[in-house]
Amino acid sequence: MAICSVSSTTSIVPFLLKKDNYEDWRIYMENYLLAQDLGDIIESGEDADLRSSSNGVGNWRKKNAAVLHAIHTTTSSDIFAQIKEIRLAKDAWSKLAKMHQEWQSKSKPKTGVDGPDGGEENEMTEDSRFVELKKSICKGDWNAVRPFFVSDKNPLDTIILSGEGYTALHVAVRVGQDKIAEELIKMMSETDLEVKTASSSGGNTALTILACEGRTHVAKCMVQKSRKLLTIESDQGHIPVTAACTKGHKEITYYLYSVTPPEVFQPQNGNYGFDLIRWGMANKMLDICLNLLQRNPKLTVTTNPKLQGPSPIFSYSRQSSAFFSGSRLRFWQRWIYHWLKVKLPNTTSDEVRITISHQQDLKEKNIGTQVFGRLRRLGLLLLKFFGIKQIYDLKATHLYALEILRCMCSHVSTLKIPHLRNCGVIHATFEATKQGMIEFVIELLKVTQPLYYTDEDGRSVFTIAIQYRRENIFNLQYGIHDAWRAEILNLIDKKGNSMLHVAGEIAPDFRLARISNSALRMQRELQWFKEVKRIVPEWCKEFKNHNGETPYEVFTERHKELVKEGAEWMTKTSQSFTVVGALIVTILFAAAFTLPGGNDQNTGFPMFLRKRSFMIFIISDAVSFFAASTSVLMFLGILTSRLAQEDFLESLPRKLIIGLSTLFISIAAMTVSFSVALLIIFHDRWWAIIPIIMMASIPVALFVWLQFPLLVEIFLSTYGPSIFNRNMKPWLSGEQVD
């Protein structure tokens, strides 16, 4: 939602040229043309440098076309119709200037003091002075701006400098001239500060514009002059703090929230509290959301009638990144995460954490303080470099998110059961299940216990967990009472599908994409189907849905394409590794009969038979040969197997694990064999041995580095810890979930 934007924008000028905004359009356009080195085209009509060059005419035409394009794309349709036939950019520019003069003469009232020619000249002079005023503001020249306001002749709230209803203060704020804005604020009354722009540009006060742009210092000056500005609503329905929040400017949002009267955010006083929570959650300003909910718990289920959008608790059920379950951390990051101790500030309903930087107040007064400050900054840089600072902030965000959730659930527990569905609480549970937000689901189930509630398709929380392959939420059913669990497992949706039918459906694409290859995706699908089949009642296994399909038929039909993709991946992978293994077998077989140093001509025995290094060479060569042979046989076993869907569960992954493991062993032993052979041949010439061995190790290391993760992934998926936690402790009574 753009609060300070205009209705029509281009990449060159933030609005289209109309009859009432020519001067603003001209300033924007002149700056653009100068920045693009196209100013000569509208000033002289032709570039002398271009004329003197061999291809000058062609370049001039390109520049002329570029300026014409800029003019055409920034004018309204009625004005474009009057200049579209003009071929020279300079002529089009002059035409627009003449049209502006005609518009001015027709629209301006003759209210000025009469001049020598009857008054119109004085009116035009006054308008040109305002143009100069606007230019001076844009340049930041306060000495040129100040004379306009030294007398009562030009009240600060009545000088309109653009067609969008901008006063001098609005212009200073928009162009970033903070010093001029501060001086104008000192001269203005509270009434002057309350002037809003035209409806076409949002109907914003200068404070709302500052909030949109995130400039805290000038905003503080304005609030100190008039606190009424904090509650003046723009034409788009925002007050300054909600405007800042929608733009994601945290510093000014914290400040404005701390000074805005708390009663403004109460549901009966408008939608400001709803908007602040909604955008605060989206922009991760969770401390403000927590404080606001502590003050106004009813905002949990409040909706905005104008937007017809969901309640905050439903919107919150989509913020998976705010919780630990939605974070994808590596194992070492998880270890740091659990090791870090984060303590949130003890805020009450009358307090909120404000983080505003006061650069002018941070001047160290002595050398000791300076040294301590620099050491502290160095420590923070080191923590940030190693990623610890980011993990700390992430954990703090998660803790704030949990506090917000508990605050919401505290209010939800006071609602009656019929109201839970009407205000979106039940649907929030289903949405959180789809997102895999186990923290959200647990807290809501504890206070509402909607275990038997179903969505519009007749599916419960645990059926949805199966549908979206959310094993963390599916595991919760292991920790509930047997009687409740039996009821859940016997549920049938509106299409006649049991839980096992749902498990037979293929997982959503975004869930399958988290697994690296098609074979492991098929294996994961089989693991889900097998686990659900184990827990459902016997009648579900052959039960037919409204389409006359059993669960197994559903699984087979929905997974045809995935089986083909998995079989294709298995075949191509096995063929590639078979080639590598066959090459190793060939080389090592030949190496066994081409010994370093040759054989003794008298006895036929190897020359270095009694050397320990020679025995290492023979053993490593043999190990590599037999390991490579085993690897080739395993991959051939995959190529000759039937590649049925059941084989993806354990048979094919087992063969692939054995094949890859023996291939890695073979490569490692081959490297040892090669290195020892060099050592035997070159003997004590280490200057030649070491570089050659290091270079020989590079391709081996690359192969292991690229393929070893695949072996680990397949092993963990097949023989690692199960994704299903059958030992889940009871949790619905309030005990901690493992």
Side-chain angles (χ1 to χ4, degrees):
M1 181 182 297
I3 296 175
C4 296
S5 63
V6 293
S7 57
S8 298
T9 62
T10 69
S11 59
I12 300 172
V13 179
F15 50 81
L16 295 179
L17 172 62
K18 299 179 181 178
K19 293 183 178 181
D20 57 355
N21 61 2
Y22 172 79
E23 291 296 338
D24 293 340
W25 177 87
R26 181 179 60 81
I27 292 173
Y28 275 106
M29 184 62 70
E30 285 178 349
N31 290 333
Y32 170 77
L33 295 178
L34 288 174
Q36 300 296 322
D37 196 22
L38 300 172
D40 291 340
I41 300 299
I42 60 172
E43 292 176 1
S44 62
E46 196 168 357
D47 195 322
D49 293 335
L50 292 177
R51 288 199 306 269
S52 63
S53 60
S54 59
N55 60 345
V57 175
N59 288 337
W60 177 84
R61 288 176 178 173
K62 289 182 180 179
K63 281 193 171 187
N64 183 72
V67 176
L68 273 178
H69 175 73
I71 294 174
H72 289 167
T73 56
T74 57
T75 56
S76 59
S77 57
D78 56 335
I79 297 177
F80 171 74
Q82 301 180 54
I83 63 171
K84 64 181 181 180
E85 301 298 333
I86 300 177
R87 292 291 175 258
L88 293 179
K90 181 183 179 182
D91 293 345
W93 185 267
S94 302
K95 175 69 174 178
L96 291 174
K98 292 179 181 179
M99 291 170 61
H100 170 62
Q101 293 179 0
E102 295 175 0
W103 298 332
Q104 291 292 98
S105 61
K106 292 179 180 179
S107 61
K108 278 201 170 186
K110 310 300 188 293
T111 56
V113 178
D114 289 345
D117 297 325
E120 186 172 351
E121 179 182 343
N122 188 65
E123 187 69 27
M124 293 298 295
T125 303
E126 189 72 14
D127 179 73
S128 64
R129 290 183 68 242
F130 289 167
V131 172
E132 292 300 320
L133 169 61
K134 187 171 183 179
K135 288 183 178 179
S136 300
I137 293 175
C138 294
K139 293 177 181 178
D141 187 356
W142 172 245
N143 293 328
V145 172
R146 189 175 181 276
F148 283 87
F149 307 108
V150 293
S151 66
D152 293 335
K153 180 181 178 182
N154 297 314
L156 284 162
D157 62 336
T158 59
I159 300 179
I160 305 301
L161 302 184
S162 73
E164 286 75 32
Y166 279 51
T167 65
L169 180 60
H170 289 111
V171 173
V173 166
R174 284 302 302 270
V175 299
Q177 297 295 344
D178 291 350
K179 291 185 178 180
I180 291 182
E182 291 176 21
E183 293 297 331
L184 290 174
I185 291 170
K186 293 177 183 177
M187 300 174 63
M188 298 176 79
S189 65
E190 293 186 16
T191 305
D192 297 338
L193 294 173
E194 295 168 10
V195 175
K196 298 197 296 184
T197 61
S199 298
S200 60
S201 58
N204 301 308
T205 63
L207 180 60
T208 303
I209 297 175
L210 285 170
C212 293
E213 298 183 357
R215 305 216 298 278
T216 307
H217 180 67
V218 182
K220 290 178 68 175
C221 297
M222 205 171 292
V223 171
Q224 290 172 0
K225 192 73 175 283
S226 173
R227 298 181 72 89
K228 185 179 178 181
L229 293 170
L230 296 166
T231 57
I232 295 180
E233 183 182 89
S234 69
D235 288 359
Q236 295 180 345
H238 286 283
I239 57 176
V241 64
T242 59
C245 191
T246 59
K247 296 296 183 181
H249 300 304
K250 293 188 176 182
E251 181 180 315
I252 193 169
T253 301
Y254 285 130
Y255 168 70
L256 292 173
Y257 179 68
S258 67
V259 295
T260 301
E263 59 272 11
V264 171
F265 303 108
Q266 294 178 359
Q268 63 270 23
N269 293 330
N271 299 314
Y272 310 128
F274 170 84
D275 291 338
L276 189 59
I277 284 185
R278 184 165 66 100
W279 287 103
M281 289 176 179
N283 292 315
K284 298 297 183 292
M285 302 182 197
L286 300 182
D287 42 1
I288 285 182
C289 296
L290 175 59
N291 182 266
L292 191 55
L293 284 169
Q294 288 173 342
R295 291 175 171 177
N296 305 286
K298 293 182 179 179
L299 289 173
T300 300
V301 293
T302 302
T303 57
N304 189 337
K306 295 181 180 179
L307 299 178
Q308 296 181 349
S311 60
I313 192 170
F314 184 84
S315 299
Y316 201 41
S317 66
R318 294 175 173 173
Q319 299 289 329
S320 58
S321 61
F323 294 89
F324 177 74
S325 59
S327 303
R328 301 186 65 179
L329 300 176
R330 297 191 175 106
F331 73 94
W332 60 271
Q333 292 175 320
R334 287 176 178 267
W335 182 84
I336 295 175
Y337 181 95
H338 291 296
W339 174 77
L340 288 174
K341 302 296 181 183
V342 179
K343 186 178 181 181
L344 299 182
N346 294 323
T347 59
T348 65
S349 60
D350 296 324
E351 298 175 350
V352 64
R353 180 174 67 90
I354 307 298
T355 53
I356 302 176
S357 59
H358 301 281
Q359 298 296 335
Q360 67 275 17
D361 298 332
L362 295 180
K363 297 179 180 178
E364 291 85 354
K365 296 181 179 180
N366 54 64
I367 297 177
T369 306
Q370 292 179 6
V371 173
F372 175 77
R374 291 179 180 178
L375 290 175
R376 183 175 179 272
R377 287 192 289 271
L378 178 61
L380 290 175
L381 287 175
L382 289 174
L383 291 176
K384 189 174 182 179
F385 177 78
F386 290 108
I388 298 176
K389 178 68 166 58
Q390 291 86 333
I391 297 175
Y392 181 92
D393 293 340
L394 182 66
K395 189 168 185 177
T397 299
H398 294 165
L399 291 178
Y400 268 112
L402 280 175
E403 287 299 317
I404 291 173
L405 179 59
R406 287 166 184 155
C407 185
M408 286 182 166
C409 290
S410 177
H411 177 70
V412 169
S413 63
T414 64
L415 302 177
K416 295 181 179 180
I417 292 179
H419 191 48
L420 293 177
R421 189 178 293 274
N422 296 334
C423 64
V425 174
I426 303 301
H427 287 88
T429 309
F430 298 142
E431 186 63 29
T433 302
K434 296 175 183 178
Q435 301 292 332
M437 299 165 61
I438 187 171
E439 303 92 342
F440 203 101
V441 174
I442 288 174
E443 293 297 329
L444 274 183
L445 289 180
K446 282 181 178 179
V447 297
T448 61
Q449 298 189 5
L451 298 176
Y452 312 122
Y453 296 160
T454 58
D455 64 2
E456 58 275 7
D457 295 324
R459 296 184 174 182
S460 68
V461 167
F462 298 109
T463 308
I464 294 174
I466 296 172
Q467 178 184 354
Y468 285 87
R469 302 300 192 262
R470 298 295 186 179
E471 59 274 4
N472 56 346
I473 296 176
F474 175 76
N475 289 334
L476 294 178
Q477 53 89 21
Y478 293 114
I480 61 177
H481 193 274
D482 289 343
W484 291 350
R485 189 162 174 246
E487 289 288 337
I488 294 169
L489 297 178
N490 281 279
L491 287 175
I492 302 296
D493 68 14
K494 293 182 178 179
K495 295 181 180 179
N497 294 311
S498 65
M499 274 190 171
L500 195 55
H501 283 94
V502 177
E505 298 282 348
I506 193 167
D509 291 339
F510 71 92
R511 293 296 295 167
L512 291 175
R514 296 168 65 94
I515 305 174
S516 63
N517 59 75
S518 300
L520 293 183
R521 291 168 189 166
M522 188 63 203
Q523 183 191 50
R524 181 56 54 85
E525 291 292 277
L526 285 165
Q527 289 171 345
W528 268 98
F529 190 77
K530 180 180 177 181
E531 182 64 19
V532 176
K533 183 178 180 180
R534 189 187 67 83
I535 65 173
V536 297
E538 285 296 324
W539 65 265
C540 291
K541 298 174 183 178
E542 298 298 330
F543 180 76
K544 293 185 178 182
N545 60 16
H546 293 342
N547 294 328
E549 298 172 309
T550 63
Y552 185 79
E553 291 171 345
V554 171
F555 184 88
T556 302
E557 180 63 28
R558 305 298 190 274
H559 290 81
K560 281 183 178 179
E561 289 300 320
L562 189 58
V563 170
K564 290 181 182 179
E565 294 173 5
E568 183 180 357
W569 183 88
M570 273 286 184
T571 301
K572 289 183 178 180
T573 303
S574 299
Q575 288 174 344
S576 300
F577 289 133
T578 300
V579 172
V580 176
L583 287 173
I584 294 174
V585 169
T586 304
I587 293 170
L588 294 175
F589 185 82
F593 297 96
T594 311
L595 302 175
N599 298 324
D600 191 320
Q601 297 297 327
N602 298 322
T603 62
F605 292 111
M607 294 292 294
F608 302 112
L609 179 62
R610 297 188 182 280
K611 282 194 172 185
R612 183 179 300 176
S613 56
F614 183 79
M615 295 304 297
I616 296 175
F617 167 79
I618 290 297
I619 293 172
S620 60
D621 186 87
V623 170
S624 181
F625 176 80
F626 291 123
S629 300
T630 304
S631 175
V632 170
L633 291 174
M634 285 295 102
F635 291 127
L636 286 175
I638 294 175
L639 292 173
T640 56
S641 64
R642 59 176 185 161
L643 298 174
Q645 67 180 19
E646 293 83 1
D647 295 339
F648 286 92
L649 182 61
E650 192 169 342
S651 175
L652 292 175
R654 185 196 304 118
K655 293 177 182 178
L656 194 57
I657 290 171
I658 296 173
L660 281 173
S661 300
T662 52
L663 183 60
F664 288 145
I665 293 172
S666 174
I667 292 174
M670 180 183 66
T671 305
V672 173
S673 176
F674 176 78
S675 302
V676 174
L678 289 176
L679 183 62
I680 293 172
I681 295 172
F682 288 97
H683 191 48
D684 57 350
R685 298 173 184 173
W686 296 102
W687 60 270
I689 296 173
I690 294 177
I692 294 175
I693 293 176
M694 292 180 64
M695 287 188 292
S697 301
I698 291 175
V700 176
L702 283 175
F703 182 82
V704 173
W705 178 54
L706 293 173
Q707 302 302 330
F708 187 72
L710 175 63
L711 174 62
V712 173
E713 184 179 10
I714 297 172
F715 181 83
L716 291 177
S717 180
T718 307
Y719 299 110
S722 174
I723 61 174
F724 305 107
N725 183 10
R726 299 171 185 173
N727 298 320
M728 177 73 67
K729 294 180 180 179
W731 58 271
L732 199 53
S733 59
E735 295 184 22
Q736 183 69 24
V737 180
D738 287 346

